[in-house]
């Protein structure tokens, strides 16, 4: 990289310096260069981005700095065009065929020659391959390579998302052929060198809609020694599907699994990491079927400490497939109908609950962060549209499985670290100094005296959450605590897990749907047989992972020279694909929610401000769990100033404040399906709106008014709007009279006497006038 001006490391090139990176487009036409070295992003004007597209690699020169020192660049060279089909709507405008990209960051429509539309028709969703890139004087040109269908076809939003985010969704012919050759059932050779646990009543506990079962659990009381030296606790077995037995390094199955790195979950559909024969068949711990597994066998003391553990390959047979709801009902009532159906397994479930309570107590002692957040589940109809959105309620069955998996994951990390073997760790770091200072300032602005140390611990965060949980703005505070922490990543360098307060942590428990777990299994298997697992060199043949905000640039695969660097490359690849899967899932959910709210235009709902920005408020509706934007122009006819410390908007004239957690009423005013955006308009039905805006609980009358307003199904008619204007005029005149009466009582009394005399004379004239015959 060239740089003609020296600058501090990480600050990027100075004025006239040259930087290489990837273009991140913006829907408004401009863009930002994301430098490869992790330095400051460089702004590119619409004129500079006209000849390039989102995702292209560029060399840029910094030509000026704005008042805040932010760099602006000029494109010098296009290093690499992003080669992939683009998804969009085929349109016919004035006899010209073009495709409007689904990803608005592309910035330009694509021209399609008449002989390039294939068999597509106007309005359909298509995939386009560029034949001519854009230039300073012309738009990009392409041809249709795939017709996906109509925009309203069931599941079309998923078809768009997997292509929009480059999610691999078709297995290679070699992978499918290899999967087809796998046996339907276990063979005698598969059972060699394995512990037979088929008589142990291991069970799976998952959600009602789960199809692949990664893990099975079993627990029994444990006692060692006699008298005062006796040790009591539990023996906890966590059996995980042995995917590594079927997916070997260097084979087509492994290549496709590594490319995907994770399964992607959409409403009503899953893009699996492994073919269905493995994910739902051979590797899934289905009830009453023999399955191969890797077992973490642990001894847990009465205080919740794991005192000993061992790993070994085994063959198991799940004795039951439980759901979270069923287990919660059994634990709540061991004599109920659910318990009666599973009588022989109820004692084992009770043992699992006992060890869970011990592990949970140890979690609190070590100070792990545990925020209770509301997760939602989208329920779709037969056409793939949202029927309703319901909150997911976490019960003791969810927490029981979570604690068992956490225990197995920490044991795997300890085992690998003790052997000094390279592996992938799940690392979650605490807040950066900048985020910590921002959080400190925010807490001081609220008058919270509980401060954070210069190097805060998870326990401090948990104590802060506990100390503020009964405040009316507790949700707002906990949101800010979460935002102050960094995202978890996969990396070959262990830095501990801040949120869980673990010195070392890996992912071991979901190899069917996560590639890092499969790698951890291979490492553990190698250590058990006295060998060391070495990464396949082919795994370095991947694109460089994108830079994440606030982090250094990920390693360049081409420069990975030793084993440690190779593990870093694999970790960056898996982390990037995890983010990609999350973005694709959120995109589909956003589209479905926009489609859902399009039928509710004009309706009024109560909601809570979930985030505050300089351009408006994000509000989540209480009844529907849908989020939308109230733009700052909708807040009233005054200037609102954004307070970054308090995270609120404050009106300069009235002093009205809007902060995270504030209660508001909004009307659905606009839905943009293409932009995945829902716009709200603030509704003020009465003076209680001021209390709502400040986050105070509205009076019962205001709540009743909100419910009545929520029943409205259409915007007001013209007659109703005219009457509303007239009523407003009458109110204004009345208020003016009251002001005059207060300031000039004598003058007001004289005017009132004149009006009274005028009314009396009019009545006298009306009585004296002759009546007309009817």
């Amino acid at each position: 990289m060239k740089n003609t001006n020296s600058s501090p490391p990480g600050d990027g090139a100075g004025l006239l310096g040259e930087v290489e990176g990837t273009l991140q487009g913006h829907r408004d036409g401009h863009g930002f260069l994301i430098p490869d070295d992790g330095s400051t992003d460089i702004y590119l004007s619409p004129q500079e981005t006209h000849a390039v597209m989102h995702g292209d690699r560029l060399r840029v020169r910094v030509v000026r700095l704005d008042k805040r020192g932010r760099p602006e660049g000029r494109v010098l060279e296009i290093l690499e065009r992003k080669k992939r089909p683009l998804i969009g709507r085929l349109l016919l405008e004035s006899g010209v065929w073009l495709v409007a990209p689904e990803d608005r960051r592309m910035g330009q429509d694509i021209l399609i020659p008449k002989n390039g539309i294939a068999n597509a028709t106007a309005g359909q969703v298509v995939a386009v391959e560029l034949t001519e890139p854009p230039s300073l004087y012309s738009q990009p040109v392409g041809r249709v390579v795939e017709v996906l269908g109509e925009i309203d076809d069931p599941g079309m939003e998923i078809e768009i998302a997997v292509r929009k985010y480059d999610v691999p969704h078709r297995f290679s012919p070699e992978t499918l052929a290899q999967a087809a050759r796998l046996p339907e059932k276990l063979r005698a050779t598969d059972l060699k060198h394995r512990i037979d646990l088929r008589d142990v009543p291991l069970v799976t506990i998952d959600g009602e809609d789960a199809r692949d079962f990664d893990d099975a659990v079993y627990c029994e009381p444990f006692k060692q020694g006699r008298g005062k030296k006796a040790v009591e606790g539990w023996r906890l077995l966590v059996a995980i599907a042995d995917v590594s037995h079927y997916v070997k390094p260097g084979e087509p199955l492994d290549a496709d699994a590594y490319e995907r790195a994770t399964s992607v979950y959409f409403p009503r559909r899953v893009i699996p990491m492994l073919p269905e024969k493995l994910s739902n068949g051979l590797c899934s711990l289905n009830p009453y079927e023999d399955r191969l597994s890797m077992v973490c066998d642990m001894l847990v003391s009465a205080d919740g400490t794991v005192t000993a553990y061992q790993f070994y390959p085994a063959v198991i047979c799940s004795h039951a497939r439980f759901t979270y709801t069923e287990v919660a009902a059994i634990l709540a009532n061991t004599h109920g109908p659910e318990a009666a159906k599973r009588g022989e397994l109820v004692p084992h479930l009770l043992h699992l609950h006992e060890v869970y309570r011990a592990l949970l107590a140890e979690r609190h002692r070590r100070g792990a962060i545990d925020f209770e957040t509301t997760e939602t589940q989208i329920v779709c109809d037969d056409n793939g549209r949202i029927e309703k959105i319901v909150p997911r309620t976490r019960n003791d069955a969810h927490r029981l499985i979570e604690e068992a998996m956490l225990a197995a994951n920490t044991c795997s990390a300890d085992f690998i670290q003790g052997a000094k073997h390279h592996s992938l760790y799940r690392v979650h770091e605490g807040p950066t100094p900048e985020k910590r200072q921002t959080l400190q300032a925010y807490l001081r602005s609220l008058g919270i005296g509980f401060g954070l140390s210069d190097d805060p611990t998870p326990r401090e965060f948990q104590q802060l959450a506990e100390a503020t949980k009964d405040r009316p703005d507790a949700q707002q505070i906990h949101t800010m605590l979460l935002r102050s922490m960094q995202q978890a990543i996969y990396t070959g360098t262990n830095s501990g897990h801040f949120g869980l307060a673990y010195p070392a942590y890996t992912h071991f428990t979901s190899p069917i749907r996560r590639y890092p777990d499969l790698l951890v299994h291979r490492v553990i298997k190698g250590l058990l047989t006295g060998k060391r697992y070495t990464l396949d060199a082919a795994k370095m043949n991947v694109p460089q992972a994108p830079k994440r905000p606030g982090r250094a640039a990920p390693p360049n695969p081409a420069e990975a020279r030793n084993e440690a660097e190779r593990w870093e490359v694999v970790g960056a690849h898996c982390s990037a694909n995890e983010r990609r899967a999350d973005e694709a899932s959120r995109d589909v959910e956003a589209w479905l929610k926009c489609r859902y709210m399009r039928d509710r235009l004009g309706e009024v709902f109560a909601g809570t401000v979930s985030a505050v920005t300089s351009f408006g408020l994000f509000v989540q509706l209480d009844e529907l769990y849908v989020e939308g934007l109230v733009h700052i122009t909708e807040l009233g006819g005054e200037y609102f100033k954004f307070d970054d410390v308090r995270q609120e908007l404050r009106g300069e004239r009235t002093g009205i404040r809007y902060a995270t957690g504030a209660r508001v009423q909004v009307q659905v005013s606009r839905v943009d399906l293409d932009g995945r955006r829902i716009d709200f308009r603030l509704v003020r039905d009465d003076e209680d709106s001021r209390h709502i805006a400040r986050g105070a609980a509205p009076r019962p009358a205001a709540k009743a008014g909100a419910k009545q307003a929520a029943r409205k199904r259409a915007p007001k008619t013209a007659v109703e709007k005219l009457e509303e204007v007239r009523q407003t005029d009458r109110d204004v005149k009345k208020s003016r009279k009251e002001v005059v009466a207060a300031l000039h009582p004598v003058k007001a009394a004289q005017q009132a006497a004149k009006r009274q005399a005028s009314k009396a004379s009019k009545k006298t004239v009306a009585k004296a006038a002759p009546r007309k015959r009817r």
Side-chain angles (χ1 to χ4, degrees):
M1 182 185 300
K2 300 177 182 178
N3 192 338
T4 61
N5 191 11
S6 61
S7 59
D11 290 345
L15 194 61
L16 302 181
E18 296 180 10
V19 182
E20 293 180 3
T22 304
L23 174 64
Q24 179 176 298
H26 191 276
R27 60 185 298 168
D28 292 339
H30 60 268
F32 295 90
L33 185 83
I34 312 300
D36 294 339
D37 61 2
S39 57
T40 305
D41 298 348
I42 301 173
Y43 172 79
L44 297 175
S45 66
Q47 291 80 6
E48 292 296 325
T49 60
H50 191 76
V52 293
M53 301 186 75
H54 170 74
D56 291 347
R57 293 201 68 249
L58 313 172
R59 177 179 288 117
V60 167
R61 173 176 291 158
V62 178
V63 294
R64 66 178 61 88
L65 303 175
D66 66 9
K67 294 180 180 179
R68 295 173 61 182
R70 295 174 298 187
E72 182 176 339
R74 176 179 298 161
V75 177
L76 297 180
E77 182 183 357
I78 301 171
L79 301 175
E80 183 183 355
R81 295 281 188 182
K82 190 167 187 179
K83 298 176 181 178
R84 66 178 177 88
L86 304 177
I87 308 302
R89 297 277 295 278
L90 182 64
L91 306 174
L92 180 61
E93 295 185 357
S94 303
V96 178
W97 290 95
L98 54 87
V99 168
E102 174 68 25
D103 191 343
R104 295 295 186 87
R105 294 175 297 181
M106 291 301 167
Q108 303 183 59
D109 293 340
I110 303 162
L111 297 176
I112 308 294
K114 289 184 179 180
N115 60 355
I117 65 171
N119 59 345
T121 59
Q124 288 187 314
V125 181
V126 297
V128 176
E129 181 181 75
L130 291 185
T131 56
E132 296 180 23
S135 69
L136 290 174
Y137 309 103
S138 63
Q139 290 180 252
V141 180
R143 63 184 182 88
V144 175
V145 294
E146 183 183 8
V147 180
L148 302 183
E150 303 295 336
I151 188 64
D152 288 328
D153 289 348
M156 180 54 64
E157 67 280 356
I158 298 176
E159 297 294 337
I160 292 174
V162 295
R163 292 164 176 83
K164 179 178 176 181
Y165 291 95
D166 291 330
V167 176
H169 58 286
R170 294 192 181 99
F171 290 106
S172 67
E174 296 79 11
T175 295
L176 295 175
Q178 184 185 356
R181 291 193 297 269
L182 293 173
E184 299 295 333
K185 295 183 179 180
L186 298 187
R187 299 165 298 186
T189 56
D190 296 327
L191 307 183
K192 290 182 179 179
H193 311 296
R194 290 183 178 271
I195 305 297
D196 192 342
L197 297 181
R198 286 176 286 191
D199 60 330
V200 177
L202 288 145
V203 298
T204 61
I205 305 175
D206 294 275
E208 282 78 1
D209 54 351
R211 296 179 60 193
D212 54 351
F213 309 114
D214 286 293
D215 52 88
V217 291
Y218 168 77
C219 184
E220 63 183 15
F222 169 78
K223 186 174 182 180
Q224 187 177 31
R226 295 182 179 179
K228 294 182 179 180
K229 295 184 179 180
V231 178
E232 294 185 359
W234 298 270
R235 182 188 180 193
L236 175 63
L237 271 66
V238 175
I240 306 299
D242 190 0
V243 177
S244 62
H245 180 81
Y246 300 100
V247 182
K248 305 291 186 182
E251 294 182 347
L253 272 172
D254 183 58
D256 270 14
Y258 179 60
E259 182 186 13
R260 297 174 181 225
T262 181
S263 297
V264 187
Y265 291 86
F266 300 109
R268 300 183 70 225
R269 183 179 171 187
V270 177
I271 307 294
M273 186 182 78
L274 299 171
E276 190 172 350
K277 186 171 183 178
L278 286 166
S279 59
N280 296 341
L282 275 173
C283 293
S284 182
L285 306 183
N286 299 328
Y288 318 119
E289 295 184 16
D290 293 349
R291 289 288 183 263
L292 305 181
S293 70
M294 281 293 295
V295 175
C296 181
D297 194 339
M298 296 167 278
L299 294 181
V300 183
S301 64
D303 63 357
T305 304
V306 178
T307 57
Y309 64 84
Q310 62 176 331
F311 290 91
Y312 51 81
V315 55
I316 70 166
C317 179
S318 172
H319 282 46
R321 182 267 200 263
F322 282 105
T323 65
Y324 293 122
T325 305
E326 187 179 6
V327 171
I330 291 173
L331 295 176
N333 184 6
T334 55
H335 300 288
E338 292 84 0
K341 297 176 186 176
R342 310 275 195 169
E344 70 283 359
L345 296 175
V346 170
H348 304 305
L349 292 179
L350 294 177
H351 295 323
L352 281 168
H353 192 247
E354 290 169 359
V355 75
Y356 147 69
R357 293 171 63 183
L359 291 170
L360 185 64
E362 198 278 330
R363 178 193 186 115
H364 292 319
R365 279 196 298 274
R366 72 173 185 271
I369 300 172
D370 188 15
F371 294 145
E372 285 293 336
T373 57
T374 302
E375 296 183 1
T376 57
Q377 177 184 4
I378 293 177
V379 179
C380 295
D381 58 21
D382 295 336
N383 294 322
R385 301 290 180 258
I386 293 181
E387 186 176 296
K388 58 182 177 179
I389 303 174
V390 296
R392 288 183 183 269
T393 54
R394 276 168 48 86
N395 53 44
D396 275 1
H398 290 87
R399 299 184 184 96
L400 182 156
I401 291 298
E402 179 182 334
E403 289 298 329
M405 298 305 112
L406 290 177
N409 286 335
T410 50
C411 288
S412 64
D414 184 75
F415 183 64
I416 294 170
Q417 195 174 36
K420 298 181 179 179
H421 195 293
H422 292 294
S423 183
L424 279 189
Y425 293 92
R426 184 66 168 177
V427 168
H428 179 230
E429 297 180 351
T432 62
E434 294 79 9
K435 289 188 175 182
R436 179 184 60 80
Q437 291 174 5
T438 301
L439 180 61
Q440 287 273 45
Y442 170 74
L443 295 175
R444 284 196 298 268
S445 71
L446 297 181
I448 298 175
F450 191 100
L452 296 174
S453 62
D454 292 339
D455 187 15
T457 64
R459 185 182 301 279
E460 291 179 52
F461 275 74
Q462 184 60 27
Q463 289 174 346
L464 183 56
E466 287 289 330
T468 58
K469 66 179 181 180
D470 295 328
R471 289 173 56 111
D473 55 355
Q475 185 66 37
Q476 174 185 351
I477 296 171
H478 292 179
T479 299
M480 292 300 296
L481 291 175
L482 285 171
R483 289 177 181 172
S484 70
M485 292 182 281
Q486 302 181 55
Q487 286 184 311
I489 60 171
Y490 294 107
T491 176
T493 305
N494 176 38
S495 301
H497 198 291
F498 182 83
L500 296 173
Y502 285 132
Y505 188 70
T506 62
H507 274 170
F508 164 79
T509 54
S510 296
I512 291 178
R513 60 186 180 90
R514 292 190 305 227
Y515 196 82
D517 302 55
L518 175 57
L519 290 177
V520 169
H521 276 235
R522 289 175 179 169
V523 171
I524 291 175
K525 268 191 171 182
L527 292 174
L528 292 176
T529 56
K531 301 177 182 178
R532 298 182 74 84
Y533 174 70
T534 304
L535 282 174
D536 187 357
K539 288 182 171 51
M540 301 304 106
N541 187 24
V542 292
Q544 185 170 0
K547 171 188 171 292
R548 305 301 301 179
R551 293 189 179 275
N556 187 344
E559 298 176 357
R561 300 179 183 86
N562 53 48
E563 190 69 7
E565 291 177 355
R566 292 191 183 99
W567 280 99
E568 289 295 334
V569 168
V570 171
H573 169 76
C574 292
S575 298
N577 286 10
E578 180 187 42
R579 305 282 180 257
R580 179 183 67 184
D582 291 341
E583 289 170 359
S585 298
R586 283 195 295 266
D587 186 81
V588 169
E589 290 185 7
W591 191 95
L592 288 172
K593 289 178 179 179
C594 286
R595 182 67 179 79
Y596 181 56
M597 295 305 293
R598 197 169 65 175
D599 298 331
R600 288 162 173 77
L601 282 170
E603 294 187 28
V604 177
F605 300 93
T608 304
V609 176
S610 56
V612 181
T613 67
S614 59
F615 54 84
L617 314 171
F618 284 96
V619 176
Q620 186 179 63
L621 305 184
D622 296 343
E623 299 176 12
L624 305 181
Y625 299 98
V626 171
E627 190 176 66
L629 173 68
V630 178
H631 196 267
I632 195 167
T633 56
E634 297 286 349
L635 297 181
E638 66 174 310
Y639 179 77
F640 280 86
K641 185 177 180 181
F642 177 60
D643 188 334
D644 190 29
V645 175
R646 293 178 177 268
Q647 289 291 298
E648 68 178 19
L649 286 171
R650 180 190 292 269
E652 285 197 343
R653 179 171 54 84
T654 61
I656 191 170
R657 297 180 293 114
Y658 295 96
T660 306
R663 305 281 301 137
V664 293
Q665 286 188 71
V666 293
Q667 183 183 45
V668 184
S669 60
R670 181 174 175 268
V671 175
D672 180 7
L673 269 176
D674 293 334
R676 312 289 195 268
R677 175 174 167 176
I678 302 170
D679 289 336
F680 295 147
R681 183 181 67 83
L682 207 60
V683 175
R684 295 186 182 90
D685 284 344
D686 51 39
E687 65 181 28
D688 282 290
S689 61
R690 287 178 298 198
H691 297 277
I692 295 173
R694 289 185 171 87
R699 297 194 292 269
K703 292 183 179 180
K707 291 181 178 180
Q708 184 177 1
R711 298 191 189 101
K712 297 177 183 177
R713 290 291 180 265
K716 295 177 181 178
T717 65
V719 175
E720 291 172 335
K721 289 182 178 179
L722 180 59
E723 180 58 31
E724 190 178 71
V725 171
R726 288 174 175 170
Q727 182 60 44
T728 303
D729 290 340
R730 288 193 288 267
D731 293 341
V732 170
K733 290 178 181 178
K734 183 178 179 181
S735 63
R736 286 177 179 172
K737 292 176 182 178
E738 291 174 352
V739 171
V740 171
L743 297 176
H744 307 284
V746 176
K747 185 176 180 182
Q750 292 174 350
Q751 290 178 348
K754 287 182 180 180
R755 286 195 297 270
Q756 198 69 23
S758 177
K759 288 181 181 179
S761 63
K762 287 180 180 179
K763 288 182 180 180
T764 304
V765 172
K767 289 181 180 179
R771 294 183 180 179
K772 294 182 180 179
R773 289 187 180 181
R774 294 181 180 177

